[in-house]
Amino acid sequence: MNLHMQILITKLAMFFLLVASLPGTYAQMTGNGYQPVEDVEKVIERLNKSSREIFSIKSRFTQKKQLDFLDETIVSKGSFWFRKENSLRWAYTEPFEYVILLNAGKFTIIDGSSVNEYDIDSNAAFREINDLIIGMVQGRVLEQGKFEIEVFENGSSYLVKLVPRDPGIRKVISGMDLTFDLQDLAVTRIVMYEGEKDYTVITFTDKRFNETIPDTIFSADM
Amino acid sequence: MKPFRILYFLLTCSILSNGCAPAGSLMHEMEADLKPDFRPLDSSSGTFLFRAKIRLTGNNYTGIFLVKQVQADSTTRIVFLSEIGLNLMDLKYKRDTFELISVQDFLDRPSLIRMLKADFGTLLRDPGDLQGTDIYYKRDEPSEMIQFRYNSRKYSYFHMKGRGVYRIERRSGPFSRTTYSIDRTGPMNILIDHGGLKPDIELIQIPRIDR
Protein backbone atom coordinates (compact mmCIF):
# COMPACT_ATOMS: atom_id res chain seq x y z
CA MET A 1 0.00 0.00 0.00
CA ASN A 2 1.59 3.25 -1.04
CA LEU A 3 1.70 6.51 0.85
CA HIS A 4 -1.19 8.09 -1.04
CA MET A 5 -3.37 5.11 -0.29
CA GLN A 6 -2.37 5.22 3.35
CA ILE A 7 -3.19 8.89 3.56
CA LEU A 8 -6.56 8.38 1.92
CA ILE A 9 -7.44 5.49 4.17
CA THR A 10 -6.26 7.51 7.09
CA LYS A 11 -8.42 10.45 6.15
CA LEU A 12 -11.41 8.20 5.65
CA ALA A 13 -10.67 6.47 8.91
CA MET A 14 -10.48 9.86 10.59
CA PHE A 15 -14.08 10.43 9.61
CA PHE A 16 -15.04 7.00 10.85
CA LEU A 17 -13.30 7.49 14.11
CA LEU A 18 -14.71 10.92 14.59
CA VAL A 19 -18.14 9.55 14.01
CA ALA A 20 -17.74 6.24 15.75
CA SER A 21 -16.38 7.84 18.85
CA LEU A 22 -19.37 10.06 19.34
CA PRO A 23 -21.80 8.62 21.88
CA GLY A 24 -25.33 7.81 20.98
CA THR A 25 -28.44 5.74 20.45
CA TYR A 26 -30.96 6.50 17.87
CA ALA A 27 -34.08 7.66 16.23
CA GLN A 28 -34.62 8.43 12.59
CA MET A 29 -34.04 12.01 11.61
CA THR A 30 -37.37 13.63 11.02
CA GLY A 31 -35.96 15.55 8.09
CA ASN A 32 -37.70 18.91 8.38
CA GLY A 33 -38.27 21.52 10.98
CA TYR A 34 -34.67 22.24 11.88
CA GLN A 35 -33.88 25.73 13.06
CA PRO A 36 -30.43 27.19 13.54
CA VAL A 37 -29.12 27.00 17.10
CA GLU A 38 -28.04 30.36 18.41
CA ASP A 39 -25.51 29.23 20.98
CA VAL A 40 -23.44 26.75 18.97
CA GLU A 41 -20.63 26.69 21.52
CA LYS A 42 -23.01 25.60 24.25
CA VAL A 43 -24.29 22.67 22.17
CA ILE A 44 -20.80 21.59 21.26
CA GLU A 45 -19.80 21.69 24.90
CA ARG A 46 -22.81 19.51 25.76
CA LEU A 47 -21.80 17.00 23.08
CA ASN A 48 -18.19 17.00 24.19
CA LYS A 49 -19.13 16.60 27.83
CA SER A 50 -21.30 13.63 26.97
CA SER A 51 -18.43 12.16 24.95
CA ARG A 52 -16.02 12.45 27.85
CA GLU A 53 -18.27 10.25 29.99
CA ILE A 54 -18.07 7.37 27.56
CA PHE A 55 -15.29 4.78 27.86
CA SER A 56 -16.71 2.15 25.53
CA ILE A 57 -19.28 1.85 22.74
CA LYS A 58 -20.68 -1.17 20.96
CA SER A 59 -23.16 -0.81 18.12
CA ARG A 60 -24.48 -2.29 14.91
CA PHE A 61 -24.61 -0.11 11.82
CA THR A 62 -26.28 -0.05 8.43
CA GLN A 63 -24.59 1.83 5.59
CA LYS A 64 -26.52 2.91 2.50
CA LYS A 65 -24.82 4.31 -0.56
CA GLN A 66 -26.80 6.44 -2.99
CA LEU A 67 -25.56 7.47 -6.44
CA ASP A 68 -27.36 10.00 -8.57
CA PHE A 69 -27.77 7.64 -11.55
CA LEU A 70 -28.68 4.61 -9.46
CA ASP A 71 -32.25 3.78 -8.53
CA GLU A 72 -31.01 1.13 -6.13
CA THR A 73 -29.22 1.54 -2.83
CA ILE A 74 -26.03 -0.31 -2.00
CA VAL A 75 -26.40 -1.62 1.52
CA SER A 76 -23.66 -2.80 3.87
CA LYS A 77 -24.05 -3.88 7.48
CA GLY A 78 -21.77 -4.53 10.38
CA SER A 79 -20.77 -3.72 13.92
CA PHE A 80 -18.28 -1.52 15.64
CA TRP A 81 -16.60 -1.48 19.00
CA PHE A 82 -14.75 1.39 20.59
CA ARG A 83 -12.81 1.42 23.83
CA LYS A 84 -10.83 4.21 25.45
CA GLU A 85 -8.11 5.20 24.94
CA ASN A 86 -7.73 4.29 21.31
CA SER A 87 -9.06 0.86 20.36
CA LEU A 88 -11.54 0.54 17.51
CA ARG A 89 -12.96 -2.32 15.46
CA TRP A 90 -15.16 -1.32 12.48
CA ALA A 91 -16.35 -4.61 10.99
CA TYR A 92 -18.49 -5.17 7.91
CA THR A 93 -20.38 -8.45 7.86
CA GLU A 94 -22.57 -7.88 4.80
CA PRO A 95 -22.27 -8.15 1.86
CA PHE A 96 -18.76 -9.35 2.70
CA GLU A 97 -16.43 -9.35 5.67
CA TYR A 98 -13.99 -6.47 5.96
CA VAL A 99 -12.51 -5.08 9.15
CA ILE A 100 -10.70 -1.86 10.02
CA LEU A 101 -8.86 -2.28 13.29
CA LEU A 102 -7.02 0.27 15.37
CA ASN A 103 -5.25 -0.91 18.49
CA ALA A 104 -1.96 -0.75 20.36
CA GLY A 105 -0.24 1.53 17.91
CA LYS A 106 -1.29 -0.56 14.88
CA PHE A 107 -3.67 0.18 12.00
CA THR A 108 -4.89 -3.13 10.58
CA ILE A 109 -7.11 -4.03 7.63
CA ILE A 110 -8.54 -7.56 7.62
CA ASP A 111 -9.88 -8.53 4.21
CA GLY A 112 -11.00 -12.14 4.29
CA SER A 113 -7.89 -14.13 5.05
CA SER A 114 -5.61 -11.20 4.23
CA VAL A 115 -4.32 -9.12 7.14
CA ASN A 116 -2.34 -5.93 6.51
CA GLU A 117 -0.88 -4.15 9.49
CA TYR A 118 0.74 -0.72 9.68
CA ASP A 119 2.51 1.08 12.50
CA ILE A 120 0.70 4.22 13.51
CA ASP A 121 4.04 5.86 14.30
CA SER A 122 5.36 5.04 10.81
CA ASN A 123 3.14 7.61 9.22
CA ALA A 124 2.20 11.12 10.22
CA ALA A 125 -1.35 10.57 9.08
CA PHE A 126 -1.71 7.52 11.30
CA ARG A 127 -0.44 9.56 14.21
CA GLU A 128 -3.09 12.12 13.38
CA ILE A 129 -5.75 9.43 13.66
CA ASN A 130 -4.42 8.42 17.00
CA ASP A 131 -4.42 12.00 18.23
CA LEU A 132 -7.90 12.48 16.87
CA ILE A 133 -9.26 9.51 18.77
CA ILE A 134 -7.74 10.69 21.99
CA GLY A 135 -9.11 14.14 21.29
CA MET A 136 -12.48 12.63 20.64
CA VAL A 137 -12.73 10.60 23.79
CA GLN A 138 -11.57 13.62 25.73
CA GLY A 139 -14.25 15.71 24.09
CA ARG A 140 -12.04 18.01 22.07
CA VAL A 141 -12.82 17.04 18.49
CA LEU A 142 -15.50 19.58 17.76
CA GLU A 143 -13.24 22.20 19.30
CA GLN A 144 -10.23 21.38 17.17
CA GLY A 145 -11.12 23.62 14.28
CA LYS A 146 -10.99 20.89 11.63
CA PHE A 147 -14.50 21.70 10.41
CA GLU A 148 -16.81 24.56 9.71
CA ILE A 149 -19.71 23.78 12.03
CA GLU A 150 -23.38 24.65 11.91
CA VAL A 151 -25.89 23.34 14.44
CA PHE A 152 -29.66 23.01 14.01
CA GLU A 153 -32.39 21.77 16.30
CA ASN A 154 -35.93 20.55 15.72
CA GLY A 155 -37.16 19.73 19.20
CA SER A 156 -36.12 16.09 19.15
CA SER A 157 -32.61 16.14 17.73
CA TYR A 158 -29.59 18.23 16.89
CA LEU A 159 -28.34 18.33 13.33
CA VAL A 160 -24.64 19.18 13.19
CA LYS A 161 -23.40 20.05 9.71
CA LEU A 162 -19.65 19.73 9.24
CA VAL A 163 -17.62 21.00 6.30
CA PRO A 164 -13.95 19.93 6.32
CA ARG A 165 -11.47 22.79 6.33
CA ASP A 166 -8.76 20.54 4.84
CA PRO A 167 -9.06 20.79 1.03
CA GLY A 168 -7.66 17.27 0.70
CA ILE A 169 -10.46 15.82 2.80
CA ARG A 170 -13.00 18.08 1.10
CA LYS A 171 -12.13 16.50 -2.25
CA VAL A 172 -13.27 13.17 -0.84
CA ILE A 173 -16.16 14.32 1.33
CA SER A 174 -17.71 17.70 0.75
CA GLY A 175 -19.59 17.63 4.04
CA MET A 176 -21.13 15.56 6.79
CA ASP A 177 -24.37 15.67 8.73
CA LEU A 178 -24.46 14.22 12.23
CA THR A 179 -27.81 13.82 13.91
CA PHE A 180 -27.86 13.60 17.72
CA ASP A 181 -30.77 12.57 19.88
CA LEU A 182 -31.61 15.61 21.95
CA GLN A 183 -32.22 13.73 25.19
CA ASP A 184 -29.20 11.45 25.43
CA LEU A 185 -27.02 13.29 22.89
CA ALA A 186 -26.56 10.06 20.99
CA VAL A 187 -25.65 9.98 17.29
CA THR A 188 -28.57 8.60 15.34
CA ARG A 189 -27.38 9.05 11.80
CA ILE A 190 -24.44 10.19 9.73
CA VAL A 191 -24.57 11.41 6.17
CA MET A 192 -21.36 11.78 4.17
CA TYR A 193 -21.80 13.92 1.06
CA GLU A 194 -19.75 13.67 -2.12
CA GLY A 195 -21.10 16.34 -4.38
CA GLU A 196 -24.75 17.19 -4.69
CA LYS A 197 -26.40 13.83 -5.27
CA ASP A 198 -23.99 11.15 -4.14
CA TYR A 199 -23.99 10.38 -0.45
CA THR A 200 -23.62 7.63 2.14
CA VAL A 201 -25.92 7.28 5.14
CA ILE A 202 -24.87 5.33 8.21
CA THR A 203 -27.44 4.57 10.90
CA PHE A 204 -26.73 2.92 14.22
CA THR A 205 -28.76 0.40 16.20
CA ASP A 206 -28.38 -1.68 19.37
CA LYS A 207 -25.93 0.78 20.80
CA ARG A 208 -24.43 0.01 24.20
CA PHE A 209 -22.26 2.27 26.30
CA ASN A 210 -19.63 1.64 28.94
CA GLU A 211 -19.79 -2.14 28.82
CA THR A 212 -16.62 -4.13 29.22
CA ILE A 213 -15.14 -5.04 25.83
CA PRO A 214 -12.51 -7.81 25.88
CA ASP A 215 -9.08 -7.33 24.30
CA THR A 216 -9.81 -10.06 21.75
CA ILE A 217 -12.29 -7.78 19.97
CA PHE A 218 -9.40 -5.53 19.00
CA SER A 219 -7.20 -8.37 17.79
CA ALA A 220 -6.80 -9.45 14.17
CA ASP A 221 -6.95 -13.05 15.40
CA MET A 222 -10.54 -12.73 16.54
CA MET B 1 24.17 -21.29 -31.22
CA LYS B 2 21.51 -23.76 -30.19
CA PRO B 3 19.82 -21.47 -27.65
CA PHE B 4 19.52 -18.77 -30.31
CA ARG B 5 17.94 -21.23 -32.73
CA ILE B 6 15.47 -22.28 -30.09
CA LEU B 7 14.74 -18.65 -29.28
CA TYR B 8 14.34 -17.86 -32.98
CA PHE B 9 12.02 -20.84 -33.39
CA LEU B 10 9.91 -19.81 -30.41
CA LEU B 11 9.72 -16.20 -31.57
CA THR B 12 8.81 -17.25 -35.07
CA CYS B 13 6.09 -19.58 -33.78
CA SER B 14 4.76 -16.89 -31.55
CA ILE B 15 4.64 -14.31 -34.29
CA LEU B 16 3.08 -16.77 -36.68
CA SER B 17 0.58 -17.83 -34.08
CA ASN B 18 -0.29 -14.25 -33.36
CA GLY B 19 -0.38 -13.19 -36.97
CA CYS B 20 -2.50 -15.84 -38.58
CA ALA B 21 -6.21 -16.16 -38.49
CA PRO B 22 -7.34 -19.36 -36.84
CA ALA B 23 -8.87 -22.14 -38.83
CA GLY B 24 -12.60 -21.74 -38.74
CA SER B 25 -15.49 -19.98 -40.35
CA LEU B 26 -16.40 -16.34 -40.35
CA MET B 27 -18.92 -15.79 -37.61
CA HIS B 28 -20.96 -13.48 -39.78
CA GLU B 29 -21.72 -16.43 -42.03
CA MET B 30 -23.23 -18.44 -39.18
CA GLU B 31 -26.89 -18.97 -38.63
CA ALA B 32 -28.01 -16.34 -36.18
CA ASP B 33 -29.67 -18.84 -33.86
CA LEU B 34 -26.47 -20.84 -33.60
CA LYS B 35 -24.42 -17.88 -32.47
CA PRO B 36 -23.92 -17.93 -28.71
CA ASP B 37 -23.76 -14.74 -26.68
CA PHE B 38 -20.08 -13.98 -26.29
CA ARG B 39 -20.61 -10.89 -24.18
CA PRO B 40 -19.24 -11.61 -20.67
CA LEU B 41 -21.11 -8.81 -18.89
CA ASP B 42 -24.42 -7.71 -20.31
CA SER B 43 -25.00 -4.49 -18.40
CA SER B 44 -28.49 -4.16 -19.87
CA SER B 45 -29.52 -7.22 -17.86
CA GLY B 46 -29.23 -5.47 -14.51
CA THR B 47 -26.84 -4.02 -11.97
CA PHE B 48 -23.56 -5.80 -11.31
CA LEU B 49 -21.79 -5.31 -8.04
CA PHE B 50 -18.30 -6.76 -7.60
CA ARG B 51 -15.95 -7.03 -4.70
CA ALA B 52 -12.67 -5.91 -6.25
CA LYS B 53 -9.10 -6.72 -5.39
CA ILE B 54 -6.35 -5.09 -7.43
CA ARG B 55 -2.97 -6.59 -6.62
CA LEU B 56 0.17 -4.75 -7.61
CA THR B 57 3.68 -5.21 -6.34
CA GLY B 58 3.66 -3.29 -3.08
CA ASN B 59 0.24 -1.79 -3.70
CA ASN B 60 -3.06 -3.47 -3.03
CA TYR B 61 -6.35 -1.76 -3.64
CA THR B 62 -9.69 -3.16 -2.59
CA GLY B 63 -13.17 -1.82 -3.05
CA ILE B 64 -16.40 -2.34 -4.91
CA PHE B 65 -17.06 -2.03 -8.64
CA LEU B 66 -20.57 -1.11 -9.65
CA VAL B 67 -21.54 -1.71 -13.29
CA LYS B 68 -24.88 -0.31 -14.29
CA GLN B 69 -26.53 0.68 -17.54
CA VAL B 70 -28.24 4.06 -17.38
CA GLN B 71 -31.39 3.83 -19.47
CA ALA B 72 -31.71 7.57 -20.01
CA ASP B 73 -28.61 7.85 -22.21
CA SER B 74 -27.82 4.17 -22.87
CA THR B 75 -24.45 4.53 -21.20
CA THR B 76 -22.91 2.10 -18.76
CA ARG B 77 -21.41 3.50 -15.59
CA ILE B 78 -18.49 1.76 -13.94
CA VAL B 79 -17.94 3.14 -10.47
CA PHE B 80 -15.16 2.08 -8.13
CA LEU B 81 -16.18 2.59 -4.51
CA SER B 82 -14.31 2.20 -1.25
CA GLU B 83 -15.74 -0.25 1.25
CA ILE B 84 -17.12 2.65 3.26
CA GLY B 85 -19.01 3.81 0.20
CA LEU B 86 -16.94 6.72 -1.08
CA ASN B 87 -16.46 7.21 -4.83
CA LEU B 88 -12.92 6.48 -5.95
CA MET B 89 -13.35 6.37 -9.72
CA ASP B 90 -16.28 6.89 -12.07
CA LEU B 91 -16.20 5.87 -15.74
CA LYS B 92 -18.87 6.23 -18.38
CA TYR B 93 -18.94 3.74 -21.27
CA LYS B 94 -20.84 3.98 -24.52
CA ARG B 95 -20.22 2.46 -27.94
CA ASP B 96 -16.75 1.34 -26.97
CA THR B 97 -15.73 4.78 -25.76
CA PHE B 98 -14.92 5.69 -22.17
CA GLU B 99 -15.24 9.00 -20.41
CA LEU B 100 -13.56 9.56 -17.06
CA ILE B 101 -16.10 11.31 -14.86
CA SER B 102 -14.04 11.50 -11.68
CA VAL B 103 -11.08 9.90 -9.95
CA GLN B 104 -9.42 10.36 -6.59
CA ASP B 105 -5.87 11.68 -6.72
CA PHE B 106 -4.19 8.50 -5.53
CA LEU B 107 -5.81 6.49 -8.36
CA ASP B 108 -5.25 9.12 -11.02
CA ARG B 109 -2.55 7.14 -12.82
CA PRO B 110 -2.84 6.95 -16.62
CA SER B 111 -1.57 3.36 -16.76
CA LEU B 112 -4.13 2.18 -14.21
CA ILE B 113 -7.01 4.03 -15.86
CA ARG B 114 -5.95 2.74 -19.29
CA MET B 115 -5.83 -0.79 -17.92
CA LEU B 116 -9.27 -0.57 -16.35
CA LYS B 117 -10.75 0.86 -19.55
CA ALA B 118 -9.25 -2.00 -21.57
CA ASP B 119 -10.48 -4.59 -19.09
CA PHE B 120 -14.03 -3.31 -18.79
CA GLY B 121 -14.17 -2.73 -22.54
CA THR B 122 -13.28 -6.38 -23.02
CA LEU B 123 -15.93 -7.47 -20.54
CA LEU B 124 -18.73 -5.17 -21.70
CA ARG B 125 -18.21 -5.20 -25.46
CA ASP B 126 -20.50 -7.39 -27.53
CA PRO B 127 -18.25 -8.81 -30.25
CA GLY B 128 -21.30 -9.26 -32.43
CA ASP B 129 -21.71 -5.49 -32.57
CA LEU B 130 -18.26 -4.79 -33.97
CA GLN B 131 -18.63 -3.29 -37.38
CA GLY B 132 -16.17 -4.09 -40.12
CA THR B 133 -14.37 -6.67 -38.04
CA ASP B 134 -14.03 -10.22 -39.22
CA ILE B 135 -14.85 -12.60 -36.42
CA TYR B 136 -13.67 -16.14 -36.81
CA TYR B 137 -15.65 -18.88 -35.17
CA LYS B 138 -14.55 -22.34 -34.21
CA ARG B 139 -16.47 -25.10 -32.51
CA ASP B 140 -14.56 -27.71 -30.58
CA GLU B 141 -17.20 -29.53 -28.52
CA PRO B 142 -18.12 -28.71 -25.89
CA SER B 143 -16.38 -25.37 -26.40
CA GLU B 144 -16.91 -22.66 -28.94
CA MET B 145 -14.45 -19.92 -29.67
CA ILE B 146 -14.36 -16.65 -31.54
CA GLN B 147 -11.31 -14.67 -32.54
CA PHE B 148 -11.00 -11.22 -33.95
CA ARG B 149 -8.66 -8.26 -34.21
CA TYR B 150 -9.73 -4.96 -32.84
CA ASN B 151 -7.70 -1.82 -32.13
CA SER B 152 -4.45 -3.66 -32.88
CA ARG B 153 -5.27 -6.34 -30.36
CA LYS B 154 -6.22 -9.92 -30.91
CA TYR B 155 -9.10 -11.27 -28.87
CA SER B 156 -10.12 -14.88 -28.24
CA TYR B 157 -13.38 -15.58 -26.42
CA PHE B 158 -14.11 -19.11 -25.23
CA HIS B 159 -17.68 -20.13 -24.57
CA MET B 160 -19.29 -23.27 -23.27
CA LYS B 161 -22.97 -24.05 -23.08
CA GLY B 162 -24.11 -23.68 -19.50
CA ARG B 163 -20.98 -21.79 -18.49
CA GLY B 164 -21.19 -18.85 -20.85
CA VAL B 165 -17.93 -17.12 -21.69
CA TYR B 166 -15.39 -18.71 -19.36
CA ARG B 167 -12.11 -17.41 -20.75
CA ILE B 168 -10.88 -14.48 -22.79
CA GLU B 169 -7.41 -13.83 -24.09
CA ARG B 170 -6.27 -10.45 -25.29
CA ARG B 171 -2.94 -10.13 -27.05
CA SER B 172 -1.26 -6.93 -28.09
CA GLY B 173 1.94 -8.44 -29.37
CA PRO B 174 3.87 -11.64 -28.97
CA PHE B 175 4.75 -10.98 -25.35
CA SER B 176 1.75 -9.13 -23.99
CA ARG B 177 -1.18 -11.27 -23.05
CA THR B 178 -4.06 -10.62 -20.68
CA THR B 179 -6.29 -13.49 -19.67
CA TYR B 180 -9.73 -13.29 -18.13
CA SER B 181 -10.92 -16.39 -16.28
CA ILE B 182 -14.62 -16.29 -15.56
CA ASP B 183 -16.20 -18.74 -13.15
CA ARG B 184 -19.96 -18.72 -12.75
CA THR B 185 -20.36 -21.85 -10.65
CA GLY B 186 -21.15 -19.65 -7.64
CA PRO B 187 -21.21 -15.86 -7.55
CA MET B 188 -19.44 -14.77 -10.72
CA ASN B 189 -15.70 -14.58 -10.22
CA ILE B 190 -13.53 -12.85 -12.80
CA LEU B 191 -9.77 -13.13 -12.48
CA ILE B 192 -7.81 -10.83 -14.77
CA ASP B 193 -4.14 -11.69 -15.21
CA HIS B 194 -2.16 -9.06 -17.07
CA GLY B 195 1.00 -11.12 -16.98
CA GLY B 196 4.43 -10.35 -15.63
CA LEU B 197 4.61 -7.71 -12.93
CA LYS B 198 1.41 -6.02 -14.03
CA PRO B 199 -1.51 -6.03 -11.64
CA ASP B 200 -3.93 -8.86 -11.16
CA ILE B 201 -7.56 -7.95 -10.71
CA GLU B 202 -10.10 -10.17 -9.04
CA LEU B 203 -13.79 -9.35 -9.28
CA ILE B 204 -16.19 -11.34 -7.12
CA GLN B 205 -19.84 -10.69 -7.75
CA ILE B 206 -21.90 -9.51 -4.82
CA PRO B 207 -25.29 -11.02 -5.57
CA ARG B 208 -27.39 -8.88 -3.27
CA ILE B 209 -28.28 -5.27 -3.96
CA ASP B 210 -31.14 -3.80 -2.01
CA ARG B 211 -33.53 -1.31 -3.40
Side-chain angles (χ1 to χ4, degrees):
Chain A
M1 183 176 289
N2 63 21
L3 181 62
H4 294 301
M5 186 64 176
Q6 287 179 343
I7 290 171
L8 180 81
I9 286 176
T10 300
K11 286 178 176 177
L12 299 181
M14 283 164 57
F15 278 100
F16 263 141
L17 298 172
L18 162 70
V19 159
S21 303
L22 293 168
T25 56
Y26 311 140
Q28 281 283 20
M29 191 177 89
T30 51
N32 297 320
Y34 282 101
Q35 300 293 326
V37 168
E38 288 184 7
D39 194 345
V40 172
E41 294 301 320
K42 187 178 175 182
V43 173
I44 289 173
E45 178 51 34
R46 279 191 73 194
L47 296 174
N48 285 331
K49 183 173 181 295
S50 174
S51 173
R52 282 192 290 267
E53 293 167 358
I54 300 297
F55 66 82
S56 77
I57 307 170
K58 178 185 176 185
S59 176
R60 295 180 188 278
F61 66 85
T62 300
Q63 176 182 303
K64 294 185 177 181
K65 170 72 176 180
Q66 193 70 53
L67 292 161
D68 64 341
F69 67 87
L70 195 64
D71 52 4
E72 297 133 309
T73 302
I74 303 169
V75 181
S76 305
K77 294 181 179 178
S79 300
F80 89 89
W81 294 259
F82 169 78
R83 188 179 70 186
K84 255 182 182 175
E85 293 291 333
N86 56 359
S87 298
L88 178 84
R89 184 185 188 91
W90 185 273
Y92 291 93
T93 54
E94 296 179 44
F96 51 82
E97 295 188 354
Y98 184 86
V99 179
I100 298 167
L101 199 60
L102 188 64
N103 189 42
K106 303 284 186 186
F107 185 88
T108 308
I109 292 176
I110 307 168
D111 182 10
S113 58
S114 168
V115 178
N116 292 300
E117 191 175 79
Y118 312 94
D119 282 323
I120 289 172
D121 285 338
S122 69
N123 184 292
F126 286 155
R127 280 199 300 275
E128 193 175 350
I129 291 182
N130 201 48
D131 294 344
L132 187 73
I133 297 169
I134 293 169
M136 193 64 240
V137 296
Q138 291 177 350
R140 298 200 314 260
V141 164
L142 294 176
E143 302 168 351
Q144 287 176 340
K146 294 180 183 295
F147 307 94
E148 302 282 352
I149 300 175
E150 288 182 289
V151 183
F152 302 84
E153 182 185 337
N154 71 350
S156 63
S157 59
Y158 287 128
L159 173 63
V160 178
K161 297 182 86 67
L162 303 173
V163 175
R165 288 201 164 108
D166 181 336
I169 294 179
R170 215 164 43 232
K171 282 181 74 174
V172 181
I173 300 175
S174 57
M176 291 176 70
D177 288 353
L178 308 182
T179 307
F180 295 83
D181 183 274
L182 204 56
Q183 288 189 324
D184 58 12
L185 302 180
V187 174
T188 61
R189 181 169 119 138
I190 299 153
V191 186
M192 296 186 288
Y193 295 98
E194 307 162 75
E196 290 183 7
K197 295 180 179 175
D198 295 351
Y199 56 90
T200 303
V201 181
I202 302 174
T203 52
F204 296 90
T205 54
D206 299 334
K207 201 161 186 180
R208 298 176 188 178
F209 297 106
N210 294 338
E211 292 185 355
T212 301
I213 300 176
D215 291 343
T216 52
I217 292 289
F218 304 109
S219 165
D221 299 328
M222 179 193 167
Chain B
M1 289 299 289
K2 194 174 179 182
F4 292 102
R5 286 185 183 175
I6 293 171
L7 183 61
Y8 173 77
F9 176 74
L10 291 174
L11 282 171
T12 307
C13 288
S14 176
I15 291 166
L16 286 172
S17 163
N18 198 49
C20 294
S25 61
L26 276 173
M27 191 174 180
H28 299 311
E29 296 169 356
M30 292 175 60
E31 294 289 337
D33 58 348
L34 293 177
K35 186 174 70 176
D37 185 357
F38 279 97
R39 179 169 34 184
L41 278 184
D42 180 3
S43 60
S44 65
S45 66
T47 303
F48 290 94
L49 207 57
F50 291 101
R51 176 93 179 91
K53 298 178 182 182
I54 303 174
R55 290 182 282 266
L56 297 91
T57 307
N59 296 281
N60 292 315
Y61 303 106
T62 64
I64 296 168
F65 268 109
L66 172 81
V67 180
K68 165 81 173 176
Q69 188 174 77
V70 181
Q71 298 298 334
D73 57 3
S74 300
T75 60
T76 296
R77 293 289 282 274
I78 301 131
V79 183
F80 188 34
L81 304 166
S82 70
E83 284 82 358
I84 64 168
L86 301 174
N87 296 4
L88 301 179
M89 186 185 295
D90 188 353
L91 290 166
K92 185 184 278 190
Y93 174 81
K94 186 176 185 179
R95 295 196 193 104
D96 228 24
T97 302
F98 284 91
E99 179 187 350
L100 181 64
I101 305 296
S102 66
V103 62
Q104 294 296 338
D105 288 347
F106 78 98
L107 283 176
D108 193 4
R109 296 158 57 179
S111 60
L112 181 65
I113 295 168
R114 201 166 45 241
M115 183 186 76
L116 291 173
K117 286 178 178 177
D119 287 340
F120 278 99
T122 302
L123 293 170
L124 291 166
R125 183 184 302 123
D126 184 353
D129 287 345
L130 295 175
Q131 301 294 321
T133 303
D134 286 340
I135 300 177
Y136 292 90
Y137 170 81
K138 185 178 181 182
R139 180 175 301 194
D140 187 9
E141 292 290 351
S143 271
E144 297 167 274
M145 181 187 75
I146 56 171
Q147 281 190 343
F148 57 92
R149 286 190 168 279
Y150 182 67
N151 285 346
S152 305
R153 289 170 173 155
K154 180 181 171 185
Y155 292 85
S156 303
Y157 285 61
F158 298 85
H159 179 280
M160 193 181 292
K161 194 172 182 181
R163 286 178 64 184
V165 176
Y166 64 92
R167 181 178 172 84
I168 306 168
E169 290 182 9
R170 191 184 74 222
R171 290 177 181 270
S172 52
F175 303 113
S176 176
R177 184 176 71 170
T178 299
T179 58
Y180 302 74
S181 302
I182 303 168
D183 182 358
R184 299 171 204 261
T185 50
M188 193 192 319
N189 184 308
I190 302 173
L191 186 60
I192 306 172
D193 180 0
H194 296 91
L197 296 175
K198 293 178 183 172
D200 293 337
I201 298 178
E202 186 175 14
L203 302 172
I204 304 161
Q205 189 175 14
I206 302 168
R208 180 167 149 265
I209 178 166
D210 290 349
R211 288 178 181 276

